[in-house]
Amino acid sequence: MMLKTGVLFKYKDFLPVTPQTPLFTLGEGDTPLIRCDRLAREIGCGELHLKFEGCNPTGSFKDRGMVVAVAKALEAGSNALICASTGNTSASAAAYAAYCGLTAIIIVPEGKIALGKMAQAIIYGAKIITITGNFDQALEIVRTLVEKHPVTLVNSLNPHRIEGQKTAAFEIIEILGDAPDYLFIPVGNAGNITAYWQGFVESCQSGRSKQKPVIMGFQAEGAAPIVRGHPVAKPETVATAIRIGNPASWQQAEAARDESGGIIDLVSDAEILAAQKLMATRTGVFSEPASAASIAGLIKLSRQGMDFSRKRIACVITGTGLKDTDTALKDAPPFLELPADIKAVEKALGWG
Ligand SMILES: *Cc1c(COP(=O)(O)O)cnc(C)c1O
């Protein structure tokens, strides 16, 4: 049977796939592009689409890049993968390693990983090391380890990750018929903004799209090194997936911004959480906090007076909210508790 689904099969002509590259899939890619007219009206933009990457097999866009990175690692004869992670890279690496019979070693900052992501790494059987430090320090350790030991780095410094992740841009173009006017995207280690820009540029060059979007990247206020112009030693934000003070793809992110005529700006934790809630209640999409930085950025600029009323906008919703229910539940009001009595329930609903 010839498989047609998955990033490696569907896009092999656009990826570094050779006759020796093993082709496999956990079902990554082909995520929904959700048109949200109600939220578009509320924010004041012409057309709004959410690229919901939470629908990938491990719940984030990292799977698109991981499948390519792991296929290339297998092709090169590697037995083990290693990454530093704020949670989603490690979940993805652990899953693909499990599928392929490889060892996954993950190095994560202690106490700063959403519980659902840790649960994934544990259940997939990864070797987990937590460090009393942040992501940037974990990545530094990993970069040194791969120079000394026979293990494949699968952070987005691995160019195959970027290659795989660019396929999300291809999918947006396939659905819309062209690139959107604007792409809003959260920025952490800055691999994804780099990948989308590469995908849009390649599509334009090969004639599959006529235009390229303006790229609008958003960092969290307490972890906004690119906006501030210098590394942040102690990044802090509720959006743990973008809690990064010294992004590996810093220059590429600035290139995407400048070549597209876009910006990289910041949003506060309060703006992120408000956007997460607004998106959930208006579209039925439950994202993790980091993902909502894209919507928060769109709302911020719209309030500042930028006119999107005739624009077609795509927001990248990078991961599912189900991994980080603690944050969603934190300020929830207590549930109404009633006896198991229909009259009491009717009364509470205002029907009796
Ligand atoms: C990894 C991640 C990001 C940040 O992506 P970068 O490529 O590091 O900029 C944002 N949101 C989620 C959910 C992620 O997992």
Side-chain angles (χ1 to χ4, degrees):
M1 188 185 67
M2 179 56 195
L3 287 169
K4 291 274 166 46
T5 59
V7 160
L8 287 172
F9 295 99
K10 199 167 159 211
Y11 295 111
K12 63 172 168 305
D13 295 344
F14 305 97
L15 295 171
V17 169
T18 72
Q20 284 69 49
T21 312
L23 300 184
F24 57 92
T25 183
L26 287 181
E28 65 293 323
D30 248 327
T31 55
L33 188 69
I34 303 168
R35 182 173 167 145
C36 304
D37 290 343
R38 206 152 73 87
L39 186 55
R41 272 196 302 277
E42 216 165 310
I43 296 174
C45 46
E47 231 180 76
L48 175 62
H49 301 265
L50 306 183
K51 182 62 171 162
F52 189 29
E53 291 289 282
C55 290
N56 279 295
T58 76
S60 85
F61 72 82
K62 302 297 198 300
D63 295 337
R64 288 180 189 275
M66 198 59 68
V67 73
V68 180
V70 174
K72 294 305 280 185
L74 283 170
E75 182 180 344
S78 177
N79 299 314
L81 316 174
I82 191 167
C83 64
S85 182
T86 58
N88 282 328
T89 298
S90 53
S92 186
Y96 283 85
Y99 183 84
C100 296
L102 301 173
T103 301
I105 303 164
I106 70 170
I107 304 203
V108 294
E110 185 191 18
K112 296 293 180 183
I113 307 284
L115 269 185
K117 301 175 187 177
M118 281 313 278
Q120 288 179 291
I122 292 166
I123 200 79
Y124 295 137
K127 275 191 191 158
I128 304 167
I129 293 172
T130 64
I131 58 158
T132 50
N134 59 35
F135 169 84
D136 304 288
Q137 294 167 303
L139 185 58
E140 233 1 88
I141 291 170
V142 166
R143 287 171 94 144
T144 310
L145 286 176
V146 296
E147 280 168 19
K148 296 167 64 177
H149 304 281
V151 52
T152 304
L153 174 90
V154 292
N155 281 104
S156 56
L157 286 161
N158 180 328
H160 300 125
R161 281 274 313 276
I162 306 294
E163 289 290 326
Q165 284 168 213
K166 77 184 178 190
T167 61
F170 297 170
E171 290 176 11
I172 292 175
I173 290 166
E174 282 164 29
I175 301 285
L176 297 181
D178 202 347
D181 299 317
Y182 288 89
L183 183 91
F184 282 74
I185 183 168
V187 177
N189 214 21
N192 213 27
I193 189 173
T194 303
Y196 269 86
W197 182 238
Q198 188 179 324
F200 285 120
V201 168
E202 284 181 20
S203 289
C204 224
Q205 280 166 351
S206 66
R208 282 172 293 143
S209 58
K210 288 200 253 335
Q211 68 169 17
K212 287 175 284 208
V214 177
I215 302 285
M216 312 293 269
F218 284 86
Q219 302 193 295
E221 189 172 25
I226 299 175
V227 182
R228 303 198 189 281
H230 57 80
V232 174
K234 290 198 167 71
E236 272 312 335
T237 169
V238 66
T240 49
I242 53 173
R243 186 174 171 271
I244 292 174
N246 192 11
S249 300
W250 188 318
Q251 282 172 358
Q252 295 91 321
E254 289 187 335
R257 175 194 67 193
D258 298 341
E259 288 166 25
S260 75
I263 60 166
I264 296 178
D265 195 356
L266 56 79
V267 281
S268 70
D269 279 7
E271 287 171 316
I272 286 172
L273 293 176
Q276 181 196 26
K277 175 93 183 173
L278 186 76
M279 170 166 46
T281 55
R282 301 301 192 271
T283 74
V285 172
F286 178 22
S287 81
E288 68 169 277
S291 312
S294 56
I295 294 283
L298 173 61
I299 293 170
K300 175 180 169 176
L301 296 187
S302 181
R303 284 196 184 140
Q304 284 178 354
M306 228 175 134
D307 183 11
F308 297 109
S309 62
R310 283 182 201 78
K311 300 298 182 190
R312 181 188 249 182
I313 290 165
C315 285
V316 182
I317 307 304
T318 45
T320 175
L322 289 172
K323 300 191 195 203
D324 185 5
T325 50
D326 285 354
T327 306
L329 291 170
K330 209 163 133 245
D331 295 318
F335 301 119
L336 193 56
E337 238 184 272
L338 296 173
D341 170 50
I342 192 147
K343 289 246 152 31
V345 175
E346 281 180 326
K347 189 153 173 262
L349 292 170
W351 292 340

